[in-house]
Amino acid sequence: MPDSGEGMIVERHGQATASSDGRSARGLTPVASARVPRHAGHQDAGAGGGGFQDDLRQHLRWAWRVAWRGKHLVLACLVLALAPTILLLKQVPPRFTATTSLVVEAPEARDALADRNAFRGFMLTDSVMQTEAALLSSPMLAHRVVEKLHLDTDPEFNGSLRPPRPFANALSTLLSPTSWIPREWLSGPQEEAKPSASMEKDMGRAQIVRAFLGGLNVQVQRRSYIITVSYTSESREKAALIANTLAEMYLLDRLEAGFEDARRVSGWLGERLESLRQDVAAAENAVEDYRAANGLRRKDDRQVTLTDQQLSELNSRLVLARADLAQKQARLDQARSVLRSRGNAEATSDVLQSPLIQRLREQEASLTREMSDALKIYGDRHPRLVGLRAEVNEIRGRIGAEVDKISASLSNDVEVAAAGMRSLERQLESVRQQANVAGGAEVRMRELERQAEANRTLYESFLARFKREAEQEKMQRANARIVAVADLPVGKSYPREMQTIQIVAVLALMFGLGLVFLLDRLDSTVRSSDEAEELSGLPVLGMIPLHRGAQRKPIDELLRKPRSALADAVRSLRTAITLADAGTTRIVMVTSSVPKEGKSFASLCLAHMFSKMEGRVLLIDADIHRPRLHSAIGVDGNRGLVQLLRKEAALDELILPGVAGNLDFLPAGREGNIAELITGPAMEAILHELLTRYDRIIIDTPPVLAVSDTRIIASLVDQVIYLVRWNSTSRDAVRNGLKLLQGSGVTPSGIVLSQLNQRKHSRYGYNDYGQYYGRYNEYYSE
């Protein structure tokens, strides 16, 4: 049955690192491309939702690991923050808060220049309420309260009367940044003049007012006209007294402001009335003087001149004359038209309306009837008929003469009417010219009258307002009232120990966690197999625990405790290499980025484990610059690989057989000048010869970043094991070392985390298989 570590290695990596030719690591591809990602089954089944949940779980686990790893730092920040906070809270005297409430009523919007019926209620808006709140917290009102209650003699407000507090003063000085600066740096280039006694008194009063306002809190309740006034003091009685006194002084101030405003308005209206009265008198005198100077008179409250009267009369007469002329001209035209058409002129209206012609017509008609009767009785030549005919002809002649006289009269009437109309037109034109000359005086007269009327109206309006303001001055109200007086507070309002401690604890906890995460981000070392895989793109083949036996050799440790965590870790590494090569890998090189990463220790332990399973195994110390393996094994290392490369000795003379069971060892050797000693052809020839003798060769090489020998040897081996010291080697060193190897055409087979602190690794909870070494100690016999 395989070991637990072997099972974990197989489950994590399988056959991902098998080389294509079984001989050289140059043909290996990065294992990250063939590696199956974690939670692959969940991602295939969830198709997005499961993947997001897995990522969230990973981030939460990472955050928990980081926080748990830095718990001591978090606790230290918590203690450093809570200790001075508790000490400071014990030094702070308790304070009590008393609250009173006022309601602000809408005042009457009294406009001194508006009519009485224009008065209306004033709308209270948020800005008005904020203004009233600012008035309650104004220095002027605070000064009045200080004077009324004699707070200038109270040590709570007068700092000169306050007893010293050494601890609080020292703590405040320590916490104040200005105390760290020398006093001479803060002072100006020249000393200011010493203030006078009155100035010092004013400055002291201002400091007392500022101290008073420091305990005052005025707030406007939303969607209401209520203002709450809270005052915080060291005494219950004092807090309630100050809150109630401030509310009373506020009401008194509003009342006094109303009286003062009414007096100010009345005084201004009185002065303005006197000025307006003089303006009215002057304007009316100017109107009368101008009227007299220009001959203007009143008529039915309308001012007209003689020229205007004449103009009006002439216009009326001209209209009548034109109408009369038109009528007479029409009658004349009618008569002339009848005569031109040889018609009977007696049919005209003037002829028909003539009384004389009407009588003559009646006589003619009577004679005509008589002549008709006589004609029936007498003959045509009868004297009676002759006489009647003569009378009829006489009457007709008289009618004709009368018609001619009427026609002549019509013509004369038309000429007379036309002459009269022309006369009126001439008179009207003359009067109109005179009216044009007098129009300027009338315009000026109307302007003066308007000015006089405006001054008179303004004077009467101000007189009415003055009388009303005189009445209003006697009736004033504060337009505010107290709805809740301040009672003695039951409990203290400051300091709030539990709330303050909780806030400080939360802030300290947040600061500590932030510091832990910051340090974690700034820390560039590798602490888990997941980090190593993400950084290198290579699988982690094993994790070798830290060897704590400083006085005990590694071989003795493995021989003495074959079931220890160290032995099991090395055995798991051997299993991973064996399963990866499928029997084709014979030369394994162990290297690292920088010195002191445990590669010599890992090479020795790995070689020992291979020697227990396979036939002949050789361990070569190729670190000719700083050889260490001979000391760990306890043999002489003066002669070895250096002498073999220089061809100063044969293999049989330099190889130390059986240093640990079937394990043979080729030391590095010592030589003064070793520059350019390791070359490709020489090393390849040595390895070729050694492969004929040994089943497995383990080579310990120098760090990649230190010398170039490692890259030469790496190109000749089958597998390269890259060691990274747990929680020590920086990411940049690992990244640069792998880059150098890959630049030489060599890809390491995997990563091995060395010198793993099992206790810390298990406590930090990285969730890789290395934590089980420290968690399941009962599986390992010590």
Side-chain angles (χ1 to χ4, degrees):
M1 181 177 180
D3 296 335
S4 60
E6 297 174 358
M8 285 182 284
I9 292 292
V10 173
E11 181 182 358
R12 289 174 56 83
H13 305 294
Q15 304 294 333
T17 57
S19 62
S20 59
D21 55 359
R23 175 67 183 90
S24 174
R26 288 173 292 179
L28 293 175
T29 57
V31 183
S33 62
R35 185 177 54 194
V36 178
R38 292 176 298 171
H39 313 292
H42 295 289
Q43 293 177 358
D44 295 338
F52 173 76
Q53 294 178 359
D54 293 342
D55 293 340
L56 181 60
R57 292 195 200 97
Q58 292 179 13
H59 284 85
L60 291 177
R61 284 196 296 267
W62 169 81
W64 169 251
R65 290 198 303 266
V66 174
W68 181 254
R69 185 168 63 251
K71 60 182 179 296
H72 298 293
L73 179 59
V74 175
L75 291 176
C77 294
L78 196 62
V79 172
L80 292 177
L82 289 179
T85 301
I86 296 175
L87 292 178
L88 183 61
L89 291 176
K90 295 298 182 182
Q91 295 294 324
V92 174
R95 293 180 177 270
F96 305 89
T97 301
T99 303
T100 183
S101 300
L102 300 97
V103 59
V104 179
E105 299 175 352
E108 185 182 18
R110 295 190 306 104
D111 187 0
L113 301 179
D115 294 333
R116 180 178 295 274
N117 55 10
F119 278 31
R120 57 184 176 86
F122 190 77
M123 275 311 270
L124 287 178
T125 60
D126 291 340
S127 59
V128 174
M129 297 300 297
Q130 293 296 333
T131 302
E132 297 298 330
L135 179 61
L136 275 165
S137 58
S138 62
M140 181 270 299
L141 201 60
H143 179 68
R144 297 178 65 177
V145 176
V146 169
E147 288 185 347
K148 182 177 181 179
L149 299 180
H150 304 287
L151 298 180
D152 52 345
T153 60
D154 193 333
E156 182 180 353
F157 304 98
N158 194 342
S160 60
L161 304 178
R162 194 177 306 153
R165 297 174 181 173
F167 179 78
N169 294 337
L171 187 60
S172 61
T173 302
L174 182 62
L175 297 178
S176 177
T178 57
S179 62
W180 308 339
I181 305 176
R183 187 178 300 274
E184 56 271 12
W185 293 6
L186 298 177
S187 61
Q190 296 181 356
E191 295 291 337
E192 296 183 357
K194 184 178 181 180
S196 60
S198 61
M199 187 180 298
E200 289 182 352
K201 184 178 180 180
D202 294 339
M203 293 172 60
R205 188 183 298 109
Q207 291 179 356
I208 294 173
V209 170
R210 284 197 296 270
F212 175 84
L213 293 175
L216 179 62
N217 183 20
V218 180
Q219 292 184 351
V220 179
Q221 295 186 7
R222 296 186 60 185
R223 298 181 180 179
S224 69
Y225 300 143
I226 300 296
I227 299 178
T228 58
V229 180
S230 303
Y231 198 83
T232 303
S233 176
E234 298 177 358
S235 171
R236 292 183 173 90
E237 296 80 3
K238 191 189 303 180
L241 178 62
I242 291 177
N244 292 327
T245 304
L246 183 64
E248 294 174 358
M249 297 302 295
Y250 166 73
L251 298 180
L252 181 60
D253 180 76
R254 285 185 62 117
L255 192 60
E256 291 178 352
F259 280 115
E260 181 63 26
D261 183 65
R263 285 194 295 268
R264 189 183 302 110
V265 170
S266 298
W268 179 80
L269 285 175
E271 296 176 358
R272 185 60 177 158
L273 278 174
E274 180 61 25
S275 175
L276 289 175
R277 188 188 63 78
Q278 296 176 2
D279 293 343
V280 170
E284 290 180 348
N285 291 333
V287 170
E288 294 300 329
D289 293 343
Y290 194 82
R291 181 184 292 114
N294 292 274
L296 300 176
R297 294 293 181 267
R298 293 182 177 274
K299 183 179 180 180
D300 297 333
D301 294 335
R302 295 181 58 190
Q303 300 168 357
V304 294
T305 61
L306 296 176
T307 305
D308 292 338
Q309 295 177 0
Q310 293 176 3
L311 188 61
S312 177
E313 293 176 358
L314 288 175
N315 280 326
S316 301
R317 291 171 58 189
L318 181 59
V319 170
L320 295 176
R322 287 177 176 173
D324 183 59
L325 176 60
Q327 183 181 6
K328 293 179 179 180
Q329 184 66 42
R331 291 161 58 189
L332 178 60
D333 292 340
Q334 182 183 11
R336 288 178 177 177
S337 175
V338 172
L339 292 176
R340 282 196 300 268
S341 62
R342 298 183 181 272
N344 188 4
E346 297 177 2
T348 61
S349 60
D350 291 324
V351 174
L352 294 175
Q353 293 176 1
S354 175
L356 180 57
I357 293 177
Q358 291 178 359
R359 289 193 301 270
L360 293 175
R361 288 293 184 186
E362 292 176 356
Q363 292 177 8
E364 181 184 8
S366 177
L367 291 175
T368 302
R369 285 192 303 269
E370 289 182 3
M371 188 176 62
S372 177
D373 292 340
L375 185 60
K376 294 178 182 180
I377 299 173
Y378 304 107
D380 186 49
R381 294 180 179 271
H382 193 276
R384 177 66 176 170
L385 291 174
V386 174
L388 289 173
R389 287 191 186 100
E391 290 180 5
V392 170
N393 292 330
E394 182 182 0
I395 290 174
R396 289 177 178 174
R398 291 176 64 184
I399 291 174
E402 188 63 28
V403 169
D404 293 338
K405 289 171 62 178
I406 291 174
S407 299
S409 176
L410 289 175
S411 178
N412 293 333
D413 290 342
V414 169
E415 292 178 0
V416 172
M421 185 187 68
R422 288 192 294 271
S423 176
L424 287 175
E425 288 178 349
R426 288 192 297 269
Q427 292 179 13
L428 181 61
E429 183 65 24
S430 177
V431 173
R432 186 175 295 166
Q433 292 178 358
Q434 295 177 6
N436 292 336
V437 175
E442 184 179 357
V443 172
R444 177 60 179 168
M445 182 65 189
R446 286 195 296 268
E447 180 182 355
L448 293 175
E449 286 181 344
R450 285 194 298 269
Q451 292 179 358
E453 184 65 23
N455 290 336
R456 187 182 305 106
T457 303
L458 185 59
Y459 174 75
E460 292 174 354
S461 176
F462 268 76
L463 182 60
R465 275 51 167 190
F466 177 76
K467 293 179 180 180
R468 187 176 66 246
E469 290 299 322
E471 296 175 359
Q472 290 290 338
E473 185 177 355
K474 301 175 183 179
M475 298 180 295
Q476 291 292 333
R477 57 191 302 267
N479 293 324
R481 54 190 174 89
I482 299 175
V483 294
V485 296
D487 298 327
L488 293 179
V490 178
K492 62 181 180 179
S493 60
Y494 180 83
R496 300 177 180 177
E497 289 88 353
M498 291 305 301
Q499 183 178 358
T500 304
I501 291 175
Q502 291 174 359
I503 293 175
V504 172
V506 170
L507 293 178
L509 186 63
M510 293 174 61
F511 176 78
L513 289 175
L515 186 60
V516 166
F517 281 99
L518 177 62
L519 294 178
D520 181 77
R521 283 301 181 187
L522 295 178
D523 188 2
S524 62
T525 59
V526 179
R527 291 187 292 260
S528 69
S529 59
D530 293 338
E531 294 180 2
E533 291 178 356
E534 293 175 1
L535 175 65
S536 62
L538 302 173
V540 175
L541 302 178
M543 304 176 73
I544 299 178
L546 177 65
H547 177 60
R548 299 182 181 276
Q551 304 297 329
R552 191 179 303 161
K553 296 180 180 179
I555 299 297
D556 296 339
E557 178 75 17
L558 295 177
L559 293 175
R560 203 171 145 273
K561 298 180 180 179
R563 292 298 301 155
S564 63
L566 174 62
D568 191 78
V570 177
R571 192 178 298 111
S572 299
L573 176 60
R574 181 196 65 186
T575 302
I577 296 174
T578 303
L579 295 176
D581 61 19
T584 60
T585 300
R586 299 179 62 188
I587 305 176
V588 179
M589 185 188 82
V590 180
T591 186
S592 63
S593 302
V594 293
K596 298 182 179 181
E597 294 197 62
K599 55 182 179 54
S600 299
F601 176 81
S603 301
L604 177 59
C605 294
L606 182 62
H608 175 68
M609 283 298 176
F610 270 115
S611 67
K612 293 174 65 177
M613 185 180 67
E614 300 179 356
R616 294 181 58 80
V617 178
L618 174 66
L619 174 63
I620 301 176
D621 187 359
D623 190 357
I624 60 178
H625 302 273
R626 295 182 61 187
R628 290 289 186 271
L629 278 176
H630 65 279
S631 300
I633 297 175
V635 297
D636 184 16
N638 291 327
R639 290 168 54 83
L641 182 61
V642 173
Q643 284 71 26
L644 184 60
L645 292 173
R646 291 182 179 273
K647 299 181 180 180
E648 297 177 356
L651 277 173
D652 296 334
E653 299 176 1
L654 299 175
I655 294 177
L656 303 178
V659 294
N662 296 330
L663 177 63
D664 295 346
F665 176 58
L666 176 61
R670 298 182 182 277
E671 183 66 28
N673 185 11
I674 57 176
E676 304 294 338
L677 187 59
I678 294 180
T679 59
M683 195 68 189
E684 185 176 8
I686 294 175
L687 293 176
H688 182 71
E689 183 179 356
L690 290 174
L691 283 174
T692 60
R693 301 185 181 187
Y694 294 94
D695 300 325
R696 183 83 61 174
I697 300 175
I698 309 298
I699 304 177
D700 178 27
T701 58
V704 177
L705 299 179
V707 294
S708 61
D709 299 348
T710 305
R711 286 176 282 172
I712 297 176
I713 299 175
S715 62
L716 304 175
V717 301
D718 297 328
Q719 280 194 12
V720 176
I721 307 300
Y722 201 89
L723 259 69
V724 177
R725 184 174 179 179
W726 179 83
N727 201 23
S728 176
T729 307
S730 65
R731 295 171 180 264
D732 294 336
V734 176
R735 189 180 298 109
N736 293 330
L738 293 175
K739 187 183 298 184
L740 288 177
L741 287 178
Q742 292 173 357
S744 301
V746 177
T747 300
S749 301
I751 303 295
V752 174
L753 293 180
S754 63
Q755 302 187 33
L756 175 71
N757 191 322
Q758 302 174 23
R759 187 180 298 106
K760 290 184 178 180
H761 188 273
S762 177
R763 186 171 62 247
Y764 293 163
Y766 288 107
N767 287 334
D768 54 6
Y769 74 91
Q771 66 176 341
Y772 299 104
Y773 287 139
R775 188 173 296 179
Y776 302 131
N777 291 326
E778 62 270 14
Y779 281 85
Y780 312 122
S781 59
E782 298 293 339

